[in-house]
Amino acid sequence: MFRSFSNFNYRIWFLGALVSNVGGWMQATAQDWVVLTELTDNDATAMGVTMALQFGPPLVLVSVTGWVADRFDRRRILLLTQSVLMALALGVATLLLTGVMTLPLMFAFALAFGITNAFDAPARQAFVSDMVTLEDASNAVALNSASFNMARLIGPAVGGLLIVAVGSGWVFVLNAATFLAMLVALLLIRRGELLPRVKSRGRTGLAEGFRYVWSRSDLKVVFVMVFLIGAFGMNFPIFASTMALEFGRQADGYGILSSVLAIGSLVGALLAARRDRARVRVLIVAAGLFGVASIVSSWMPTYWTYATVLILVGFSTVTMLTTANGYVQTTTDPLLRGRVLALYMAVVMGSTPIGAPIAGWITDVAGPRAAILVGGVAGLVAMSVGLSWIIGSGRLRRHESARFRLTLDETMPVSVVRVDPVAFSDEVAAVTTPIRTERTD
């Protein structure tokens, strides 16, 4: 389960990311609560607009961010983006502590966070492949998800308590301090132990990555499924905050709901780390489970019964996202990995600007339960898309030795033989590394 920890660089990265992610979840909780209760009078639509501004840039800038992640040193990119994110957190803290923060200013900061994260996310995702071998990439992605969700288990609850105890401004100050952990980790990484990678020399940018994804029916299905659930089902800040208010809870109650969601998320991430590789069938099952769990949660009559079902929602969400991320990373041509991951992150993060305002509007008009129900239906539709592809592609067939038993042909497009990275330059390795390509569509 923890085989990636044998790598020094990955251990340092994991610890830095864990500390930084705790601060990030504290800040996310504070930002959502400030918009919902301090800058507006429980306006879920304004909260949806804030999320749209923050998650929209990855979609708009995808043609640039993926090329940057493939072309330039990813470690240096991350040093820059993490520094900018720290400065922005300090800026928001200053405005909140001095009492001059307004909703338009918060919208502007949300957009600035979004633009910076648009460059940070694909570089951060692809950097994992620079630290570990291809055969360990799926495990490393799952452990990254575990780190993210361990932070999610701690951050929202602590953030909610701090909002009540010391105010939202100081939460942003503490988050700015946690960025130092990631910056130190990036400085401590042994550059000589990073795996050689092929750097993009051309200027085809997004078009080449898009053509690659379009030629892969399996990737298209994965992207569509993630988009459906990302747009309509993963608006948890809106759902959890408004449900907390419906149950008569304050910021601490909202933070607890976010942490409870993370319990299931952490279990899902750890189980994903045990799998030898990412499989599309796991993604399909997780999408269906997400749909059912979301629908059930919308019917829960009390705060604690709702919180209990959120564990299952978190488990299915992270199982789906970790599997999708691992599948994209481990089956993509290394030369195009940054651009394909930028497209993937654009789908994951860019779906929010489409779905969050809709979820906020539904919440204002019909209540949070109706918005959650729509998200659950989206999960079932995503499962149907995956099942239709499996059946239509002929991968689901009768077992050769049993008449009433079905078997599923899994896709594993790329098989890479381990080589000594010291013995090859980037260019030579790109040409001579033994690669066997199988049919993928």
Side-chain angles (χ1 to χ4, degrees), residues 185-199:
L186 288 168
L187 292 173
L188 289 177
I189 280 177
R190 299 169 181 171
R191 299 179 63 185
E193 295 182 9
L194 296 176
L195 296 182
R197 69 182 180 92
V198 181
K199 295 182 181 180

Side-chain angles (χ1 to χ4, degrees), residues 25 47 143 170 181 215 220 247 269 276-277 313 321 325 333 339 358 386:
W25 279 110
M47 192 173 173
L143 290 175
W170 287 106
S215 69
K220 286 188 288 187
F247 290 123
D276 57 345
R277 60 187 175 94
V313 173
L321 291 180
N325 191 318
D333 184 343
R339 276 161 285 185
I358 296 174

Side-chain angles (χ1 to χ4, degrees), residues 31 49-58 110-111 113-115 117 349:
Q31 176 180 290
V49 171
T50 305
M51 293 174 63
L53 290 170
Q54 188 162 346
F55 294 105
L111 180 61
F113 278 118
I115 292 172
N117 276 316
M349 301 175 69

